[in-house]
Amino acid sequence: MTKSLLVFVPSPGMGHLVSAVEFAKLLLNHDHRLSIAVFIIKSPSQSKTQAYVDSLASNPNFPKSLQFIHLPHPDSQSPAPYLHDLVQKSLPLLKDSVSDLVHASNSSPDSPRLAAFIVDMFCTAVIDVADELDVPSMIFFTSGAAFLGFMLHFLELRDRYGLDTTASGFKDSGAELPIPSFVNPVPAYAFPAVVLEKQWEQFLFNYIQGLKKAKGFIVNTFEELESHAVQSFSDSNTRVYPVGPILNLNSDDKLVQEKSDIMEWLDDQPSSSVIYLCFGSRGFFEEDQVREIARALESSGFRFLWSLRKPPPKDSRESAGEYSISELSGVLPEGFLERTAGIGRIIGWAPQTMILAHQAVGGFVSHCGWNSTLESIYFGVPVATWPLYAEQQTNAFELVCDLKMAVEISLDYRIAFGDGSKTEVLSAERIEEGIRKLMEEENETRTKVKQMSENMKPIIKAQEKSDIIGWLDNQPPSSVIFLCFGSKGFFEKDERDSWNGWLRLEKLSGGPRKRIS
């Protein structure tokens, strides 16, 4: 049986890589006739990528039919649209590497045959490579369906209505524009930075033209969550396949062990009493904003677990870093750590899925990255929105205004703008107000999140069980005994041991399968 080879090209960045790998594993569980090669575009700012790949490779349960191929790092020195430049310069390297795979498979009848490309939402230039190799391609969109609809509709807003979103004052104009994938008109202040800043204009045009070349979109969402957004594509020629939620719910064991004191601290807190604050691997604040957050937390009196990251060096593409204890004392209000020692913890890196899963966590102050959004919903933890960059403002607007599944601290906060300006510092009073709404025991937001969590869990369970079907695909016809005794059927331990012993014996002996009545 000849396998089919899928080429995955995620964009640099752990969030995109992890989502791509989880989707690849899901495909392999559904169909064992597939083989997948994930091509990794190296970025100097993503030092954790190699450690992540190595940890997967060392796991004995990791699929053997999934391989990683690291492309050499191209020389990329362009200033603003760095990612676009990096992907463009990687295209010849990618084409040569895929051609080598094709050549190797043609020389061996048992090797998988190249079937298709699955291309990250920020790597649309790779579609041209797929076309040159005469294989189909689809885009894996790691954000939500509403944001996909926004981007596909944006050129129409510009070309048909002459809208210039980069014009001075547009962001603060009070304009609200209808976008088919959103229930409510989207205000200008919630537009992503890429459509507001002049320096990104050419990148944006090229990016949207790349999206329009796609044969279809595989989107990390599910219809129960974004029903309006998904249905908004039904009247268009755009093929959208909601395959989510794609989540990585397994934290790195080594890292979790190193941070086990976090989980031990949570074990000692009452149920739903802790606010978790985390803004992603690239999320950080300047000192003036850090102090306002600290003031809000102390004034609120709530227990808190705060993942506080250190700003990277100026003009650096590095992710946010870790504060030392001595540095923390200089950033936070004087005496804050001592006064809050009984109710709060400040940490660097956080095992986020384990934290959100813990019964002590009752609310999540989040940057509204899409992966974090899906994780918070899965674990039934309501969010207070505090977006920082990329499409996070649009995600925050959807969560608060369309889905009614989050409360607002801010919808328009941004780390910085291309012209050097930055958002005004949010006051401790405004932050505290959002925190208090978030931690209300009973409100519409908490109820909706809990309901959506219940809708989400059967989907995840079905994904986890898909490997059963893959295993059955590899068994001979009529060779498997299926044992099931209904939803209420069970056995005492001695009876279970008898069944297990018989099954082990049959497996070892290779004897005839018998029907047991």
Side-chain angles (χ1 to χ4, degrees), residues 1 5 160 231 271 273 279 305 319:
M1 179 177 63
L5 173 66
R160 180 177 294 184
Q231 291 167 16
S271 177
S273 66
F279 301 90
L305 182 64
S319 297

Side-chain angles (χ1 to χ4, degrees), residues 105-121:
S105 68
N106 290 338
S107 63
S108 172
D110 297 326
S111 295
R113 297 295 188 261
L114 180 62
F117 277 62
I118 307 295
V119 177
D120 184 86
M121 59 190 286

